[in-house]
Amino acid sequence: MRQNKKHLSGRTPWLAGTAIAALAAAGLRCWQLHSAFEPDTGFIIPGSQASVILVCAAVMAAAWFVILSIYQPVCPKPPEGEEDHRWDVIFLDAGDRVYPMLEVAAAFLAILAVPVLFVVGMGQFRLYQDLLAAQLQIPSNNGLLTLAAAAGAFLAAIGLLQTAREGLRPGRPDKARLAAALPGVAGCIWLMETFRTHAANPVLWDYAPHLLAIVLGMEFYLDFAGMSVGAAHPRRLLWMAAMTVVVSAAALASTAAEVFALAGQGGSLCTAQLGDLCLLLSQLLAAAGVLWRLPPNLEHPPERPEAGPDPIQEIQEETRDE
């Protein structure tokens, strides 16, 4: 019981600060969408109060998380000559059920985005082929990047499921290394597709929070994978996870508004915006899982799990005995 209280106290500043900042960012983004854009042209109103306060809140949240990162207790480095294996087992703990559940939920949301993005990409590809065959003006989007984003979402789901499995039933740490990097690779594809979609939009505030959320999520996943491959930056990972949650919450506010607007107009919900909504929620939950798991275990990393018996070796020994 005492150990559980200690773990909860280690998580509290990060979880409470991130939740407050995320709610504030989402609320300010909604306020900005309703008050900071000209109703006729859709252009941003220069110096609007909502935009200024949103930027200030993001800067203040980033500074607060820097302070938390600096004062985060971390176990000392091992003596010289000993290999540093402090961090590669932090996420491989069978005693914690919350972290695997959050990662499974994140994987479920990522897999939900796959059919949505696939249908959207195939529709764009067919339209491109039809206009090309009719020798009409073809669109700039042939749907291939959207299909690649669907494949990336599938890879992200596989990686998150494997990460959740390792968090529930610890095995060999090297199994989780590639899995943890898959969502980061998927984020690169997602970033290219999102930037291509909004590149011609002159209103930067329409898509800046979305792009920033994807970039932070991609960096978060790569730092997450670095915990298992000898390139660990645990304090930076905490900062990345917290800011990923905050900026993803702001991006979710605008993406959800677009989805609800399409639903109100009677249009199809199978759109790129719905896919983005699922992926933003996925990376938000994955980052929340890290904020739950990492802080109480930086000072006292768990014991390295013992490797299970090799089934091939067991079969060879049984054959030799016979």
Side-chain angles (χ1 to χ4, degrees):
M1 180 66 70
R2 186 174 300 174
Q3 187 71 14
N4 291 337
K5 290 182 179 179
K6 183 178 180 181
H7 281 191
L8 184 60
S9 64
R11 298 182 180 108
T12 301
W14 286 101
L15 294 176
T18 304
I20 293 171
L23 290 174
L28 289 172
R29 178 62 172 163
C30 291
W31 181 27
Q32 183 192 42
L33 292 174
H34 287 88
S35 65
F37 293 90
E38 296 178 357
D40 298 331
T41 63
F43 291 119
I44 192 73
I45 299 175
S48 60
Q49 190 176 12
S51 301
V52 173
I53 295 177
L54 178 58
V55 172
C56 291
V59 172
M60 291 171 61
W64 171 246
F65 295 138
V66 167
I67 295 173
L68 285 182
S69 301
I70 292 173
Y71 289 100
Q72 172 65 43
V74 177
C75 74
K77 291 185 178 181
E80 292 186 7
E82 294 186 12
E83 197 170 359
D84 186 359
H85 286 305
R86 296 175 297 161
W87 311 129
D88 57 351
V89 295
I90 278 185
F91 296 102
L92 308 179
D93 183 25
D96 181 15
R97 303 292 181 183
V98 176
Y99 166 73
M101 289 171 60
L102 288 172
E103 300 305 308
V104 168
F108 177 74
L109 287 166
I111 205 69
L112 280 181
V114 175
V116 175
L117 294 175
F118 180 79
V119 170
V120 172
M122 288 302 299
Q124 293 170 347
F125 182 74
R126 292 194 188 98
L127 177 62
Y128 181 86
Q129 293 295 324
D130 292 342
L131 294 177
L132 185 63
Q135 296 183 349
L136 299 175
Q137 183 178 1
I138 58 176
S140 59
N141 182 16
N142 58 10
L144 294 182
L145 264 181
T146 307
L147 293 174
F154 181 72
L155 292 177
I158 293 176
L160 290 168
L161 282 175
Q162 178 63 24
T163 302
R165 179 189 177 279
E166 293 295 326
L168 187 63
R169 295 182 178 179
R172 293 170 52 191
D174 56 348
K175 288 183 178 180
R177 293 173 182 173
L178 176 62
L182 288 177
V185 176
C188 297
I189 305 173
W190 184 24
L191 178 63
M192 289 188 291
E193 162 59 17
T194 304
F195 182 77
R196 185 213 57 77
T197 302
H198 298 283
N201 188 347
V203 184
L204 186 63
W205 268 113
D206 276 347
Y207 59 92
H210 194 170
L211 287 181
L212 185 58
I214 297 174
V215 171
L216 285 171
M218 182 176 62
E219 293 294 332
F220 154 71
Y221 281 126
L222 294 180
D223 266 2
F224 183 34
M227 295 289 285
S228 302
V229 296
H233 299 281
R235 288 191 172 101
R236 189 175 73 185
L237 175 59
L238 281 172
W239 187 90
M240 285 289 181
M243 288 304 297
T244 296
V245 173
V246 172
V247 181
S248 296
L252 277 169
S254 53
T255 306
E258 294 176 3
V259 172
F260 290 144
L262 290 173
Q265 295 172 1
S268 174
L269 289 179
C270 193
T271 60
Q273 288 83 356
L274 182 60
D276 289 340
L277 186 71
C278 294
L279 292 176
L280 285 169
L281 280 171
S282 174
Q283 73 175 23
L284 187 150
L285 290 179
V290 170
L291 290 174
W292 173 270
R293 183 75 183 95
L294 187 56
N297 293 281
L298 284 181
E299 192 172 2
H300 302 287
E303 296 292 333
R304 180 178 299 279
E306 296 182 0
D310 188 356
I312 298 179
Q313 185 176 0
E314 286 185 347
I315 294 174
Q316 291 176 349
E317 290 177 356
E318 291 177 358
T319 306
R320 193 179 300 113
D321 293 340
E322 292 177 358

